[in-house]
């Protein structure tokens, strides 16, 4: 009887050790880009999601996206989320709020660089960043910090149902300009093959150091800022479980609409 009891204890201990080992492995693997919904769904006007920011935090504290009803631009930095509304002000996001589209990760830089040349437009920045990357076939989280000579951002007003497509919603966007402002760019570079799922290429948001303003990045001028890049080889996406996402037609390509909405 004792032998059987000892055997059962040994089996239970072995199972516990395996579980702990597996959980430890999951926790240690922070090189995962987590995404909720798809960019094409957002382009089609699916502006209500079912994932709360409390849930989102479990998958990363660095990222970008929006909140339900497309009410502004979301920036995630150092474990805190901010909602830059159409008035240009960055508001802390309550855990109970939900998002229709967001991309987050646990930021752990694999490469750092000092931008030692003058960048005068957005396209120059993306070209410079491309030259720092070992391949264009994985995902990257990108953080750029410092004092920026010039930043131009935008945000969109909260939408009312029936929701318009994103390309129509951004026609009413508000734009903001900053000069000699200290802050952080929070962005991602996605491979070309994710077209329809995420934004191929760069998608960048900005927030000031005091966390009071920011938005979706449209233009920039900078020099002597710090660039940090997190190589992210794993991608995990969660789709909405019901609602408009189930009914929307996602069979048509939306790349031209995406370019209009982004830039």
């Amino acid at each position: 009887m004792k032998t059987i009891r000892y055997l059962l204890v040994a089996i239970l201990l072995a199972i516990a050790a395996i579980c702990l080992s597996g959980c430890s492995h999951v926790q240690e693997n922070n090189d995962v880009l987590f995404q909720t919904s798809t960019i094409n769904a957002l382009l089609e006007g699916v502006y209500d999601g079912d994932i709360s920011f409390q849930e989102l935090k479990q998958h990363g504290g660095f990222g970008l996206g929006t909140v339900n009803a497309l009410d502004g631009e979301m920036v995630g930095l150092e474990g805190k989320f901010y909602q830059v509304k159409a008035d240009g002000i960055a508001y802390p996001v309550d855990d109970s709020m939900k998002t229709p589209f967001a991309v987050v990760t646990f930021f752990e830089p694999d490469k750092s660089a000092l931008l030692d040349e003058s960048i005068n437009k957005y396209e120059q920045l993306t070209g410079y960043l491309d030259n720092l990357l070992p391949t264009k076939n994985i995902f990257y989280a990108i953080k750029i910090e410092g004092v920026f000579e010039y930043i131009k951002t935008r945000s969109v007003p909260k939408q009312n149902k029936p929701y318009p497509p994103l390309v129509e919603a951004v026609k009413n966007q508000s734009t903001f300009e900053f000069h000699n402002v200290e802050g952080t760019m929070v962005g991602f570079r996605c491979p070309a093959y994710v077209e329809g799922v995420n934004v191929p290429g760069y998608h960048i948001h900005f927030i000031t150091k005091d966390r009071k303003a920011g938005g979706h990045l449209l233009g920039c001028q900078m020099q002597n800022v710090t660039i940090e890049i997190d190589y992210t080889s794993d991608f995990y996406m969660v789709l909405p479980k019901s609602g408009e996402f189930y009914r929307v037609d996602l069979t048509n390509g939306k790349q031209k609409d995406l370019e209009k909405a982004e830039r």
Side-chain angles (χ1 to χ4, degrees):
M1 195 70 179
K2 286 184 178 181
T3 302
I4 295 174
R5 187 181 303 156
Y6 291 149
L7 183 59
L8 288 172
V9 170
I11 292 172
L12 289 172
L13 288 173
I15 292 172
I18 292 170
C19 290
L20 288 172
S21 175
C23 291
S24 175
H25 175 71
V26 171
Q27 290 172 353
E28 289 174 3
N29 183 19
N30 288 335
D31 287 332
V32 179
L33 184 146
F34 176 87
Q35 177 177 318
T36 175
S37 193
T38 72
I39 194 65
N40 268 11
L42 199 70
L43 285 167
E44 290 287 0
V46 181
Y47 301 152
D48 290 327
D50 48 23
I51 287 188
S52 70
F53 279 87
Q54 185 173 18
E55 294 174 272
L56 195 64
K57 282 181 180 178
Q58 299 173 17
H59 303 282
F62 177 96
L64 51 76
T66 186
V67 302
N68 275 8
L70 199 71
D71 190 8
E73 307 285 348
M74 184 276 282
V75 185
L77 186 61
E78 296 175 346
K80 297 181 180 179
F81 293 94
Y82 304 88
Q83 172 192 16
V84 182
K85 293 189 178 183
D87 59 6
I89 299 173
Y91 300 85
V93 173
D94 188 89
D95 282 351
S96 64
M97 295 171 65
K98 295 182 178 181
T99 175
F101 178 81
V103 186
V104 297
T105 190
F106 292 101
F107 191 83
E108 296 177 346
D110 295 294
K111 184 181 183 70
S112 299
L114 178 67
L115 177 63
D116 56 2
E117 63 181 71
S118 180
I119 295 293
N120 296 311
K121 56 184 180 179
Y122 184 89
E123 291 75 17
Q124 273 186 281
L125 172 62
T126 58
Y128 185 91
L129 292 172
D130 274 348
N131 289 330
L132 298 177
L133 307 179
T135 176
K136 294 181 180 180
N137 294 333
I138 64 171
F139 298 87
Y140 298 94
I142 298 166
K143 179 165 70 172
I144 306 176
E145 289 185 308
V147 177
F148 300 86
E149 297 171 30
Y150 173 75
I151 292 287
K152 183 177 182 180
T153 64
R154 72 106 188 274
S155 186
V156 291
K158 182 178 180 179
Q159 302 297 301
N160 297 312
K161 292 182 176 181
Y163 294 140
L166 185 60
V167 72
E168 294 297 323
V170 298
K171 289 180 179 179
N172 297 316
Q173 69 185 16
S174 302
T175 59
F176 317 101
E177 294 182 306
F178 306 86
H179 298 272
N180 298 315
V181 60
E182 189 171 5
T184 305
M185 291 182 181
V186 172
F188 294 93
R189 188 195 188 283
C190 295
Y193 56 76
V194 302
E195 181 178 332
V197 173
N198 203 315
V199 179
Y202 292 91
H203 186 181
I204 303 173
H205 288 187
F206 175 79
I207 192 164
T208 56
K209 185 179 180 180
D210 61 11
R211 309 294 192 258
K212 291 184 178 180
H216 175 100
L217 186 68
L218 295 176
C220 56
Q221 294 177 12
M222 68 188 81
Q223 190 172 6
N224 298 322
V225 295
T226 301
I227 300 171
E228 293 183 317
I229 303 174
D230 183 4
Y231 303 173
T232 309
S233 55
D234 288 5
F235 176 66
Y236 187 88
M237 181 170 67
V238 173
L239 299 176
K241 298 179 177 63
S242 60
E244 286 301 314
F245 185 83
Y246 272 34
R247 294 184 286 273
V248 69
D249 182 3
L250 298 177
T251 59
N252 297 320
K254 290 288 179 180
Q255 187 59 28
K256 289 184 179 179
D257 285 349
L258 178 59
E259 291 170 3
K260 290 178 182 178
E262 286 293 300
R263 305 298 307 142

